[in-house]
Amino acid sequence: DVKVTQSSRYLVKRTGEKVFLECVQDMDHENMFWYRQDPGLGLRLIYFSYDVKMKEKGDIPEGYSVSREKKERFSLILESASTNQTSMYLCASTGGQGTNYGYTFGSGTRLTVV
Amino acid sequence: SQKIEQNSEALNIQEGKTATLTCNYTNYSPAYLQWYRQDPGRGPVFLLLIRENEKEKRKERLKVTFDTTLKQSLFHITASQPADSATYLCALDTSNTGKLIFGQGTTLQVKP
C-alpha cells in the first residue's frame, strides 16, 4: 500500500526551538507539499518541491524553510517556533507536474508550541 | 483575490438520501478540480478529479459535476450511509502545475 509517512503524530515544542517535521513517501513521486490546517482557515500551502533540491514558496512561507535532499523525503523546518505556528501540519505528494492524479496525504502532525 | 467557497454549515441528511455539496470559486480558470474526504484528526483522502472539459464524473456512489461557466462544482453521494459522515474538501489547480488550493470543506453528517 503506497503511502506518505510523517514522523510524528503529536509534537510539543517550546517557543524559540528549531523544529523539524519529516515526511517520507514511497511512491517515487516528484512533487511534495507541506500544508498547515487551522480551523476556519482550511489548508494553506507553506512550501512545495518539484524535484530534489528544488523548493518553491507557497502562500504562507514566513517562519518556515524546507529541505529536499532525496526524492522520497521532504522536511519542513520551523526556524524558531512561535505559538502562532501551533497547527496541524500535513505533507502530501503527487506524481508529475500538471498530473491528473490526486494528492496522497500523510496522517498529519499536530504541533503545539508552548 | 482568489477564492474557493464551500458551505461552512454542516449538512445533515438521513441515511439513504442523496447528499449534495457545493464548491464555488472566483477569479480562477482551473484546469481541473478535485474532491477529498477528511476524517477528524486525519489527512485528506483523494476521491475524484474532474477536468475543465468534463461535465460529469462518477465513481461508485459518487458523482461530481463541473460547470466552468457558473464556476461551480457539485459533489453528490447517492444512497448515503453513516460511514459517509466526514468533511469533504474541494481543491483547484489554477495553473496546471499540480499545486492545489483547498476550500475550507463542508462537514456531512448522515444519520441512521
Side-chain angles (χ1 to χ4, degrees):
Chain A
D1 192 21
V2 294
K3 59 184 180 181
V4 174
T5 302
Q6 295 184 231
S7 53
S8 305
R9 288 298 309 276
Y10 300 95
L11 213 51
V12 179
K13 295 293 181 180
R14 293 194 180 279
T15 301
E17 276 192 78
K18 190 169 186 176
V19 181
F20 294 85
L21 302 183
E22 305 289 344
C23 175
V24 177
Q25 51 96 1
D26 64 1
M27 296 164 283
D28 201 35
H29 282 168
E30 289 84 3
N31 302 333
M32 298 187 74
F33 307 84
W34 276 105
Y35 288 85
R36 62 178 284 177
Q37 186 173 29
D38 301 285
L41 297 175
L43 279 93
R44 293 179 291 166
L45 181 63
I46 306 171
Y47 266 97
F48 59 102
S49 170
Y50 289 143
D51 202 350
V52 176
K53 296 195 186 294
M54 288 184 63
K55 59 184 179 183
E56 299 284 343
K57 292 180 180 179
D59 299 320
I60 51 164
E62 296 78 19
Y64 303 94
S65 63
V66 290
S67 171
R68 190 151 182 217
E69 296 295 319
K70 293 185 177 181
K71 189 176 185 179
E72 67 270 19
R73 186 179 297 270
F74 191 35
S75 303
L76 179 68
I77 303 156
L78 285 66
E79 299 291 342
S80 177
S82 64
T83 54
N84 63 12
Q85 291 178 312
T86 292
S87 186
M88 168 72 97
Y89 289 88
L90 290 159
C91 176
S93 73
T94 190
Q97 283 195 23
T99 182
N100 63 346
Y101 296 107
Y103 285 14
T104 301
F105 279 87
S107 295
T109 296
R110 185 162 294 282
L111 173 67
T112 302
V113 182
V114 297
Chain B
S1 63
Q2 301 172 332
K3 200 170 180 182
I4 303 172
E5 289 186 345
Q6 296 185 254
N7 287 346
S8 57
E9 290 186 17
L11 178 63
N12 296 298
I13 65 168
Q14 205 66 34
E15 182 176 8
K17 300 293 186 183
T18 296
T20 299
L21 285 68
T22 304
C23 177
N24 295 299
Y25 59 93
T26 60
N27 300 326
Y28 292 119
S29 294
Y32 54 83
L33 184 148
Q34 300 185 14
W35 283 89
Y36 289 77
R37 170 186 172 135
Q38 187 174 24
D39 292 288
R42 313 295 296 185
V45 175
F46 171 70
L47 295 175
L48 277 170
L49 176 150
I50 187 165
R51 297 176 181 273
E52 60 180 338
N53 61 351
E54 296 176 317
K55 296 296 184 186
E56 180 180 299
K57 199 138 186 199
R58 293 174 185 262
K59 178 183 176 182
E60 298 173 353
R61 293 186 296 112
L62 309 180
K63 184 179 85 171
V64 171
T65 63
F66 193 14
D67 188 326
T68 56
T69 301
L70 292 178
K71 294 188 182 294
Q72 181 181 78
S73 175
L74 299 178
F75 176 80
H76 306 272
I77 306 175
T78 58
S80 59
Q81 304 167 0
D84 295 326
S85 299
T87 296
Y88 292 87
L89 306 167
C90 71
L92 307 178
D93 180 347
T94 61
S95 56
N96 203 29
T97 56
K99 185 178 73 170
L100 287 179
I101 300 171
F102 285 81
Q104 292 192 31
T106 298
T107 298
L108 172 67
Q109 187 73 34
V110 181
K111 299 185 184 302

